[in-house]
Amino acid sequence: MAQKQVIQQPGLPLSDPTQPSTTVDLEIASQWKLMWWKFRKHKLAMAGGIVVLLYYFVAILAEFFAPSLPTTYIDQYVFAPPQRLQFFQDGRFDPFVYGYGFERDPVSFKKTWLVDEETVIPVGLFVRGDEYTMYGLITSDLHFIGPEEKGQPFYLLGSDKSGRDIFSRIIYSSRVSLTVGLVGVAISLTLGILMGGLSGLVGGWVDNVIQRLIELLMSIPNLPIWLALAAVVPIDWPALRVYFMTTLILAVIGQYSWTYMARVVRSRFLSLREEDFVLAAMLDGCSTWRLIFKHMVPSFLSHIIASVTLAIPGMIIAETALSFLGLGLRPPVVSWGVMLQDSQKVGLIATSPWLLYPGLAVFIVVLALNFFGDGIRDAADPYH
Amino acid sequence: MWQYIFRRFGYMLFTLFVISIISFVVIQLPPGDYVDTLVNQMASESSGVSAEVEEQMRALYGLDQPVYVQYFKWVRNIVTRGEFGYSFVYRTDAREIIMDRLPMSFALALGAFLIVQLTSIPIGIYSAIKQYSIADYGFTFLGFVGRAIPNFLLALVLLYLSFRYFGRAMVGLFSEEFVDAPWSIARVMDLMRHLWIPAIIIGLDRGAGQIRTMRANLLDELNKPYVDTARAKGLSERRLLWKYPVRHAANPIISTIGWALPEFISGEAIVSIVLNLPTGGPIFLAALFAQDMFVAAGFILMFSVLTVIGTFISDVLLVWLDPRVRLQ
């Protein structure tokens, strides 16, 4: 923690003589290195960052991490409850799950699931299962986890209305839901830097018009407009186009759209315009282009990154909400919102609460992104 | 000051104008109109419709005219007669449907708004002055959870819990005996007793954010030299806190209070859809799916009008609260 002392008391000699190099390090460290040192101390932010990285890692290799394909179904296991993973068998480590049994109520014919302790389904790592093709390049049937014998019921988080594995579908969904956040924020950031930069640099009536436009967009309630725009997307569009259209809608209108980015960028430009180093650069005859990209942008890039990280969870939640209402992404695309559509039927959540697990996936990643973003924001702020 | 208010009023009118265009255009965008839907429906129910009848139906609903004519007629009817057009699905005046549900939407959004404003700022203050106490950690935890859980998901979880433990959905707006009862004092009281659960669901996200903002801002303020000076001069802790730091810390929240309104209206819509509350949300969604355009456009317009008027009021209040705005 020697670094912290130095940061707080610049100019004082380092108290710990065993680490003489840190002072030198600190003096020559780049802005990014300083940020990293500060960020590293923020335990929750580090944990959040690790969770976020894990999510994206699993999303990239979804085919490998999911025990089955999102379309694989076993029709006798409809709305099967989650199986508990058992780790020890006869006193040694040998993971397995119990099979399913069921009985029917003689009066209502309602199916009740039971745990069949007679049937043991051995579970292994790096097992062979459904064949998949990853990104059209690699064809394999290797899965990170799964039943050792292909085709056995393996529902760690239960199954849905068609007997498909919810756990696998959550993993596949993460690919769609997490990229909606990234792509959406990329679009809103581009628009935001353009409009916010224009507003902050040119000023005058341009600034005025852009500010009024932003205020106008911010005073409209998001959800009704999103829903109305999403309802316009034709039913027969291919999945990819619907995906981009939905993302575009979220990037243009809403709390975390370009209006948010533009406000961040503009306020940074306005405050930087007054700084001495900008004036110095201007007096030295810097071109506007060089002034912006060499002098101004690097000094607020960290703030932009923090704002972006805090905008991604907003996008993810928005996509989930839209798809949940049936106006965003649609099956056969799997996203967390699409999966949650099933839980709109009240009776179903009462009998099969595991349909809500995709919501848990949303909750965890949003929480992690918030911690991560807060950490970056604190690290990027030189005044705290 | 009057100039400022006048200018804000002008913006409000302009915003309303733009919103009315957006509402109308958005509803016009889907290919085909209601008559197409109706014709398809009739065709599938055996009796086909001749092109002539189709044209007559278009003329009847005014769908044969150019879009801008339809728009001006629509706006004129709303402004002069308060008529929102015809609901194709319910086969009645769209105004009846909208006005039947809108007051409930408004009550719910306003309830959520009031609960959030009345609780989050005091909690933020408490968290800041009792920094690192158990309560502070509790509220910080609540703050993070509240920000991470989307309100519709919270509504779903609540729905599940009420089924699990009470065997039915306990989250309506009225007790059974009041659902269809005419308005009375007792019914209003009953509504009040039920309103707070959905209101908290709607407001949790915003409230959590405001607690965190208030806490962080106040902590910054309390570390400033002027607080030490005031304390050294013997000001009581209570006065010391309320006189400057709290006001200063609450300013960013109060000055953006207007932007909270769109959030509450949005939250109200989606939470009502999940909980199937008798407000505008579920009907609006159904109207979008059915392409019942006058009802859908009317709802978008009225949701927006509520927020824009609310934003205007908050702007005016801000003038009253913050002398800096007055002097601009």
Side-chain angles (χ1 to χ4, degrees):
Chain A
M1 297 297 103
Q3 290 146 4
K4 193 180 176 186
Q5 289 172 343
V6 177
I7 290 170
Q8 286 178 339
Q9 306 166 310
L12 286 184
L14 202 67
S15 56
D16 187 1
T18 55
Q19 292 179 305
S21 61
T22 26
T23 342
V24 183
D25 275 357
L26 194 73
E27 276 163 10
I28 59 165
S30 66
Q31 184 196 359
W32 297 104
K33 209 162 211 164
L34 288 172
M35 269 178 66
W36 166 241
W37 284 342
K38 205 170 165 194
F39 179 79
R40 215 169 40 183
K41 279 188 216 128
H42 200 321
K43 293 277 173 338
L44 274 175
M46 278 296 276
I50 291 167
V51 171
V52 170
L53 284 180
L54 267 176
Y55 258 79
Y56 277 96
F57 183 66
V58 170
I60 290 169
L61 300 174
E63 286 89 349
F64 169 67
F65 282 104
S68 70
L69 299 179
T71 46
T72 309
Y73 65 94
I74 312 177
D75 46 16
Q76 68 263 46
Y77 296 103
V78 170
F79 293 125
Q83 286 164 318
R84 220 183 39 244
L85 193 60
Q86 316 276 343
F87 290 101
F88 295 98
Q89 198 175 5
D90 305 328
R92 63 198 165 78
F93 184 74
D94 187 10
F96 68 95
V97 289
Y98 288 120
Y100 287 103
F102 63 88
E103 60 183 21
R104 277 197 194 278
D105 187 301
V107 184
S108 67
F109 289 104
K110 219 179 118 189
K111 196 168 170 179
T112 314
W113 290 99
L114 301 168
V115 178
D116 176 13
E117 299 207 357
E118 302 288 298
T119 324
V120 165
I121 301 167
V123 172
L125 294 181
F126 303 103
V127 291
R128 301 279 161 186
D130 296 325
E131 193 169 284
Y132 55 82
T133 306
M134 215 189 260
Y135 303 108
L137 292 173
I138 311 154
T139 306
S140 169
D141 59 357
L142 193 68
H143 292 263
F144 178 66
I145 188 172
E148 280 181 357
E149 197 183 319
K150 190 184 156 184
Q152 297 271 47
F154 181 64
Y155 299 118
L156 285 182
L157 299 180
S159 74
D160 69 0
K161 61 177 184 227
S162 317
R164 296 173 297 197
D165 178 25
I166 288 187
F167 179 60
S168 301
R169 286 172 67 79
I170 286 179
I171 289 179
Y172 275 91
S173 294
S174 67
R175 184 174 277 175
V176 172
S177 298
L178 292 175
T179 52
V180 165
L182 285 187
V183 176
V185 169
I187 299 173
S188 65
L189 181 65
T190 315
L191 272 171
I193 288 183
L194 205 72
M195 302 291 266
L198 211 63
S199 200
L201 273 180
V202 180
W205 68 269
V206 177
D207 183 33
N208 215 350
V209 167
I210 294 177
Q211 288 314 303
R212 292 293 86 73
L213 181 68
I214 290 176
E215 265 176 40
L216 194 135
L217 284 173
M218 286 183 77
S219 63
I220 308 175
N222 303 335
L223 193 81
I225 300 281
W226 281 343
L227 290 179
L229 284 174
V232 171
V233 177
I235 301 281
D236 51 357
W237 271 19
L240 197 66
R241 219 194 290 171
V242 174
Y243 170 89
F244 276 112
M245 198 61 211
T246 309
T247 318
L248 195 65
I249 291 172
L250 297 181
V252 174
I253 291 171
Q255 214 184 332
Y256 294 105
S257 66
W258 68 271
T259 54
Y260 165 77
M261 295 294 171
R263 283 162 46 81
V264 175
V265 172
R266 175 176 175 268
S267 73
R268 286 290 129 194
F269 264 115
L270 285 183
S271 64
L272 278 177
R273 217 164 48 175
E274 312 295 320
E275 291 286 335
D276 291 340
F277 75 90
V278 174
L279 186 68
M282 227 184 302
L283 291 176
D284 277 347
C286 258
S287 68
T288 316
W289 202 246
R290 191 182 156 83
L291 189 70
I292 296 173
F293 286 97
K294 195 73 194 172
H295 295 278
M296 292 171 97
V297 169
S299 69
F300 66 71
L301 197 59
S302 51
H303 285 262
I304 299 287
I305 293 175
S307 307
V308 161
T309 322
L310 291 170
I312 294 175
M315 285 273 177
I316 293 176
I317 290 181
E319 182 275 319
T320 309
L322 268 187
S323 303
F324 166 72
L325 292 176
L327 284 168
L329 305 176
R330 308 163 182 145
V333 174
V334 273
S335 81
W336 292 325
V338 173
M339 290 182 75
L340 283 171
Q341 273 175 22
D342 289 342
S343 55
Q344 266 198 21
K345 295 182 192 78
V346 178
L348 275 184
I349 334 176
T351 53
S352 319
W354 51 89
L355 291 176
L356 291 175
Y357 275 122
L360 189 67
V362 177
F363 174 69
I364 293 171
V365 76
V366 170
L367 195 64
L369 276 163
N370 278 337
F371 282 135
F372 184 50
D374 280 349
I376 295 182
R377 191 181 51 195
D378 290 349
D381 193 341
Y383 298 109
H384 282 88
Chain B
M1 177 177 147
W2 283 108
Q3 199 192 351
Y4 172 83
I5 293 178
F6 192 71
R7 202 170 59 220
R8 284 281 134 191
F9 190 74
Y11 290 155
M12 181 181 79
L13 289 185
F14 180 70
T15 309
L16 287 178
F17 170 66
V18 175
I19 286 170
S20 72
I21 294 181
I22 295 176
S23 323
F24 197 74
V25 168
V26 151
I27 302 302
Q28 286 284 349
L29 278 175
D33 52 32
Y34 176 72
V35 174
D36 288 328
T37 320
L38 206 66
V39 168
N40 286 338
Q41 203 180 331
M42 284 177 172
S44 66
E45 286 165 7
S46 80
S47 63
V49 179
S50 70
E52 203 175 311
V53 176
E54 216 180 304
E55 280 316 305
Q56 276 176 7
M57 277 162 63
R58 285 225 161 76
L60 177 69
Y61 296 132
L63 296 176
D64 55 345
Q65 285 154 324
V67 177
Y68 63 90
V69 176
Q70 289 188 45
Y71 168 73
F72 279 112
K73 277 174 95 172
W74 181 66
V75 169
R76 195 188 60 205
N77 284 341
I78 291 175
V79 175
T80 57
R81 286 188 289 172
E83 279 180 8
F84 285 88
Y86 185 74
S87 165
F88 303 121
V89 173
Y90 298 91
R91 304 195 173 270
T92 167
D93 204 348
R95 177 177 55 180
E96 270 174 48
I97 294 154
I98 295 170
M99 288 310 160
D100 184 37
R101 295 299 190 105
L102 204 65
M104 277 305 187
S105 286
F106 182 65
L108 195 51
L110 192 71
F113 180 80
L114 288 178
I115 289 180
V116 165
Q117 301 308 339
L118 292 179
T119 54
S120 68
I121 292 178
I123 290 177
I125 296 173
Y126 182 83
S127 257
I129 52 177
K130 304 266 180 198
Q131 198 187 4
Y132 305 134
S133 66
I134 294 173
D136 178 33
Y137 281 121
F139 287 128
T140 305
F141 175 75
L142 186 79
F144 275 114
V145 171
R147 253 171 63 187
I149 187 161
N151 45 21
F152 74 94
L153 202 62
L154 191 63
L156 279 175
V157 171
L158 204 77
L159 212 54
Y160 164 66
L161 291 177
S162 80
F163 261 101
R164 179 84 201 273
Y165 294 104
F166 303 106
R168 64 197 170 88
M170 293 282 284
V171 277
L173 282 184
F174 296 102
S175 309
E176 267 169 52
E177 65 265 33
F178 285 109
V179 172
D180 293 318
W183 281 105
S184 62
I185 303 284
R187 193 171 188 237
V188 173
M189 294 308 287
D190 188 60
L191 176 65
M192 291 295 163
R193 267 198 297 278
H194 288 82
L195 197 70
W196 64 275
I197 297 179
I200 286 177
I201 297 177
I202 295 165
L204 189 64
D205 179 29
R206 180 87 193 182
Q210 286 192 4
I211 290 175
R212 285 180 49 74
T213 312
M214 188 65 205
R215 178 181 180 273
N217 289 350
L218 190 57
L219 281 176
D220 282 353
E221 280 308 304
L222 289 177
N223 286 327
K224 285 194 175 160
Y226 77 84
V227 177
D228 288 336
T229 314
R231 190 172 284 136
K233 286 172 95 176
L235 223 62
S236 75
E237 280 298 312
R238 173 179 294 252
R239 225 180 112 85
L240 176 78
L241 183 70
W242 289 96
K243 184 75 183 165
Y244 297 111
V246 164
R247 281 178 168 194
H248 200 106
N251 199 51
I253 295 177
I254 293 172
S255 63
T256 55
I257 225 165
W259 289 333
L261 290 166
E263 236 176 277
F264 285 103
I265 293 281
S266 291
E268 182 280 314
I270 192 163
V271 168
S272 297
I273 290 168
V274 174
L275 299 178
N276 202 14
L277 301 179
T279 72
I283 298 275
F284 169 63
L285 188 69
L288 279 179
F289 276 121
Q291 269 194 40
D292 195 356
M293 57 168 276
F294 287 120
V295 175
F299 267 118
I300 297 182
L301 187 69
M302 289 315 289
F303 281 145
S304 307
V305 165
L306 283 183
T307 44
V308 173
I309 291 175
T311 312
F312 173 70
I313 295 174
S314 77
D315 280 343
V316 174
L317 281 179
L318 194 63
V319 179
W320 176 60
L321 274 175
D322 190 343
R324 283 173 304 182
V325 180
R326 227 177 300 161
L327 291 171
Q328 259 174 22

